[in-house]
Amino acid sequence: QEKPDLAREYLSYVKDQGNETIQERYYQVSYELVKRYENEEEAYQQLDKWVREDKIKNSNMLNSIAWGVYEMEDADPSLVEMAANWAARSVELEPGYANMDTYAMLMYKSGNLKEAARLAQEAIDLAKESGEDYSETEKALTKIQSEM
């Protein structure tokens, strides 16, 4: 596919604007463009850099991308580690059941069972407080505990 030069020009313009919401959108769209049209691995590396530089403050975006990595069957361990960091940042920005669950599952996928169990229990507790369905996390916690 052809690279979207017009979109890149617009993004360059948007990046220079002072509005924090617009700049946040710049990072999200830039990530999607690189992933779609260029190199998925490069997109993840760039996203990770932006997270470390504290340029992305959208908890839902970070959680969504991190969950996508969790769902990959053959995700590279270094990518799983990056995704766990994104999930952790998502939780720091806006703690909630969904992102705590994502963080727990990435810890499980990385083999850190003790931390995965702790985070899964925290996710369940958050779900109970907010009235969300946590049955899948409860099943996952049982599986994690059986492997410890």
Side-chain angles (χ1 to χ4, degrees):
Q1 292 180 348
E2 233 179 271
K3 291 182 185 173
D5 292 328
L6 184 61
R8 288 193 185 285
E9 287 177 32
Y10 174 72
L11 286 172
S12 293
Y13 167 77
V14 167
K15 184 179 180 187
D16 295 332
Q17 302 305 304
N19 185 305
E20 194 171 299
T21 303
I22 291 174
Q23 287 181 343
E24 181 72 30
R25 189 71 178 141
Y26 161 80
Y27 293 111
Q28 183 176 1
V29 173
S30 292
Y31 160 78
E32 292 295 337
L33 284 172
V34 171
K35 184 177 177 190
R36 182 172 298 151
Y37 293 100
E38 294 172 16
N39 181 310
E40 189 172 18
E41 185 177 329
E42 184 181 309
Y44 288 130
Q45 293 293 334
Q46 187 61 58
L47 177 69
D48 192 56
K49 180 178 183 273
W50 289 332
V51 171
R52 284 183 280 110
E53 293 172 349
D54 199 31
K55 291 184 176 177
I56 298 181
K57 295 177 175 51
N58 184 320
S59 177
N60 291 331
M61 175 189 165
L62 290 171
N63 184 57
S64 178
I65 296 168
W67 184 257
V69 171
Y70 170 73
E71 290 185 321
M72 290 179 185
E73 289 183 25
D74 58 350
D76 184 88
S78 63
L79 179 58
V80 173
E81 184 180 334
M82 280 191 284
N85 290 332
W86 307 334
R89 181 65 180 135
S90 175
V91 169
E92 286 174 19
L93 291 167
E94 192 175 323
Y97 165 67
N99 55 7
M100 189 67 76
D101 176 70
T102 299
Y103 190 18
M105 296 307 101
L106 284 161
M107 287 288 96
Y108 172 69
K109 190 167 190 153
S110 71
N112 190 339
L113 301 180
K114 186 176 180 180
E115 185 67 0
R118 184 185 73 75
L119 292 168
Q121 186 58 59
E122 279 191 48
I124 290 168
D125 292 344
L126 287 167
K128 286 177 179 177
E129 288 175 18
S130 62
E132 294 175 79
D133 177 20
Y134 55 89
S135 57
E136 291 302 313
T137 307
E138 203 166 45
K139 289 177 196 172
L141 178 57
T142 300
K143 182 177 180 183
I144 292 165
Q145 290 169 333
S146 74
E147 294 178 22
M148 290 175 74

